Amino acid sequence: MDPWWSWGAMALLCLLVPGGHPVPCRVSISPEEPTVEFGTSLLLNCTSSCRNYSRLSWEVSITKTGTRGPGWVSLSIPNVTDWSLELQCFGIFGEHRDIATTTLHAYRFSPPQIYLEGDAVAGKEARVTCNASAQVSPPDPPNLRLTLRGGGLPPSTRRGPSVGLGFTAQPEQHGQEMTCEAVLRLGRRTVNASATVTLWVW
Ligand SMILES: *[C@@H]1O[C@H](CO)[C@@H](O)[C@H](O)[C@H]1NC(C)=O
Ligand SMILES: *[C@@H]1O[C@H](CO)[C@@H](O)[C@H](O)[C@H]1NC(C)=O
Ligand SMILES: *[C@@H]1O[C@H](CO)[C@@H](O)[C@H](O)[C@H]1NC(C)=O
Ligand SMILES: *[C@@H]1O[C@H](CO)[C@@H](O)[C@H](O)[C@H]1NC(C)=O
Ligand SMILES: *[C@@H]1O[C@H](CO)[C@@H](O)[C@H](O)[C@H]1NC(C)=O
């Protein structure tokens, strides 16, 4: 049959059927932008806006495991070992087919470590260093920012993976804390962690 004719006929039918919605049936994936830590598990859900599908299924390059119920089918990934994975879910509604697509992104994040380099002697130059590590799906470099604050010094923010701050050690800094906060931006999500060191000034 001529596809234009069948589309036209279906559109006309939708308009003529009393109470019929001309809104096409849709499938959607949740979460919309899945982002998980490498090596962890994830549960995705694909839902259909209509119940009259003949098929509702995932199209993925990994082993499909999950459950289904009326209007939905889940996909369980027990161990995410791809930095980036294309996921598709489709629904077949008579002649109409709808496809939802998303990309799963994995990341790795090691909390920061902060330390005072050597001994801080009053009146002498001292240095605090903080580093953290992050990995995201290639080719993008991780959007990692490190902020050092405390010790009576102005806060300093740099792009990671390492940030250092040199200053002249003051006796009153003895016993004060310095904190390093690492913030990794992953699209709409952020992951953060911090570490603290106590200044010891001789
Ligand atoms: C996930 O897979 C990796 C690599 O195959 C393996 O080293 C790790 O132990 C697995 N983790 C879990 C929780 O199964
Ligand atoms: C998937 O979504 C449907 C509709 O929101 C919900 O009823 C169902 O429990 C969800 N399934 C899983 C496994 O979360
Ligand atoms: C499925 O139901 C929707 C409304 O819920 C309707 O618009 C659509 O025409 C129906 N499709 C089929 C193939 O029955
Ligand atoms: C921070 O740097 C130290 C010394 O270079 C290193 O041993 C440590 O593994 C690094 N930590 C992270 C999270 O990269
Ligand atoms: C992460 O960020 C939130 C919001 O800015 C903040 O309240 C929280 O203390 C931070 N967590 C760590 C471990 O730094």
Side-chain angles (χ1 to χ4, degrees):
M1 196 175 14
D2 177 8
W4 288 109
W5 158 243
S6 53
W7 271 108
M10 247 172 84
L12 200 67
L13 226 104
C14 283
L15 291 172
L16 292 178
V17 171
H21 302 284
V23 188
C25 296
R26 294 245 167 261
V27 293
S28 56
I29 296 173
S30 81
E32 267 177 66
E33 293 179 5
T35 307
V36 294
E37 201 163 354
F38 197 91
T40 61
S41 65
L42 177 67
L43 183 69
L44 293 129
N45 200 351
C46 173
T47 52
S48 165
S49 62
C50 309
R51 293 284 173 88
N52 57 1
Y53 49 82
S54 55
R55 268 196 87 186
L56 180 65
S57 182
W58 289 94
E59 183 72 56
V60 290
S61 59
I62 52 166
T63 314
K64 276 190 273 183
T65 48
T67 51
R68 60 169 68 239
W72 60 272
V73 54
S74 72
L75 175 71
S76 155
I77 307 177
N79 186 352
V80 175
T81 51
D82 289 287
W83 288 106
S84 168
L85 185 65
E86 205 65 38
L87 303 168
Q88 277 195 354
C89 175
F90 66 91
I92 299 172
F93 310 91
E95 303 269 286
H96 168 71
R97 160 194 285 260
D98 191 46
I99 301 174
T101 305
T102 192
T103 307
L104 164 63
H105 290 285
Y107 69 90
R108 258 195 187 129
F109 178 59
S110 303
Q113 290 183 337
I114 184 171
Y115 47 93
L116 186 60
E117 282 178 27
D119 292 326
V121 177
K124 295 271 167 66
E125 275 299 298
R127 196 172 174 83
V128 164
T129 302
C130 173
N131 62 355
S133 77
Q135 214 178 328
V136 296
S137 57
D140 308 322
N143 185 345
L144 177 68
R145 290 197 165 266
L146 299 176
T147 303
L148 274 173
R149 51 169 72 85
L153 300 164
S156 130
T157 299
R158 297 281 169 71
R159 214 180 156 117
S162 186
V163 56
L165 184 63
F167 58 96
T168 305
Q170 308 290 337
E172 56 272 24
Q173 284 174 322
H174 183 77
Q176 288 194 22
E177 285 191 335
M178 280 197 79
T179 299
C180 175
E181 186 183 17
V183 178
L184 176 64
R185 288 197 61 92
L186 304 155
R188 286 187 218 164
R189 258 189 76 189
T190 64
V191 180
N192 64 339
S194 47
T196 298
V197 69
T198 302
L199 296 178
W200 191 275
V201 181
W202 299 91

